[in-house]
Amino acid sequence: MANQTETSPSVLAGVASVARGGWRTAKTVYYANSVSWRVLKSGALVFLGCFLWAGSNVLGSYVDWGVLDYTMAYGAVVLVYGPIHHLVVIPLALRWRRSAGLRQRVGKRLPTAMLVVFLAAVAVAGTFSAGAMAVDFGSAMGGDGATAAQPELACTTESGGETVACEVTNAERVERVVVTSAGEQLLAVDDPPFEFTVEASAVESTMDREQFRVHLYDENGNLVRQYTRRLATVGLN
């Protein structure tokens, strides 16, 4: 019993020591301000942003997970802001910290304040997903045979833009089509051919972009694909 009692504090102390060492290393890398470190950190964040944004778009074409809106938003925001943070904000904060008065106080708080703004931007962009973040990579994946086997969505505007006419092709696996906008269902089609018309006036605006989503389900109710269409980018008939 005594050995167990003595071992537990030592294990906890070891874990705490590793955690403190890791935190110190992370802070050292975070504040590293040489040109090579700034370029390396910026490049890593650009890669991370592209990976999360593109990966979330691809996965979002096949599953309807709300969390993907946030990973997509994180990738898009870090892709734009990440390099700015390490190329501009950190060097400026370190330079101001060596000053006195107001600049010194601002320099000490600037990186944390900008990270708060960054996380707030991710939360807003994830909650109110902008259509500009959604790109259909799914149709470009795979060879000719794989592409032909996938259901595809074609939409055109009619009546001067008052309506959008859509058709689902290669719909052998599709049993139901549901159209939503801002989380609200606009219509559902349960029988082929899967052709439908969306009233432009019924499409809600998300982040100042009028867009709707088309969900394709199989006979078991599983999501096969989903598409996001913005009224501004639907081709004219």
Side-chain angles (χ1 to χ4, degrees), residues 48-57 59-60 63-79 118-130 133-134 206-207 213 226:
L48 175 65
C50 286
F51 176 79
L52 287 176
W53 171 68
S56 298
N57 270 289
L59 190 57
V63 296
D64 193 13
W65 296 345
V67 70
L68 292 177
D69 288 338
Y70 292 94
T71 56
M72 187 190 307
Y74 186 93
V77 177
V78 81
L79 178 63
F118 165 77
L119 293 175
V122 171
V124 171
T127 303
F128 307 99
S129 278
M133 293 192 304
T206 302
M207 294 285 285
R213 286 187 176 181
Q226 74 172 7

Side-chain angles (χ1 to χ4, degrees), residues 206-224:
T206 302
M207 294 285 285
D208 296 327
R209 297 180 185 276
E210 296 176 314
Q211 63 184 36
F212 60 92
R213 286 187 176 181
V214 180
H215 309 258
L216 311 180
Y217 296 96
D218 63 16
E219 60 182 2
N220 297 317
N222 299 316
L223 183 69
V224 176

Side-chain angles (χ1 to χ4, degrees), residues 74-88:
Y74 186 93
V77 177
V78 81
L79 178 63
V80 175
Y81 175 71
I84 295 174
H85 189 79
H86 287 284
L87 293 176
V88 179

Side-chain angles (χ1 to χ4, degrees), residues 110-121:
L110 183 61
T112 302
M114 293 305 296
L115 285 177
V116 171
V117 172
F118 165 77
L119 293 175

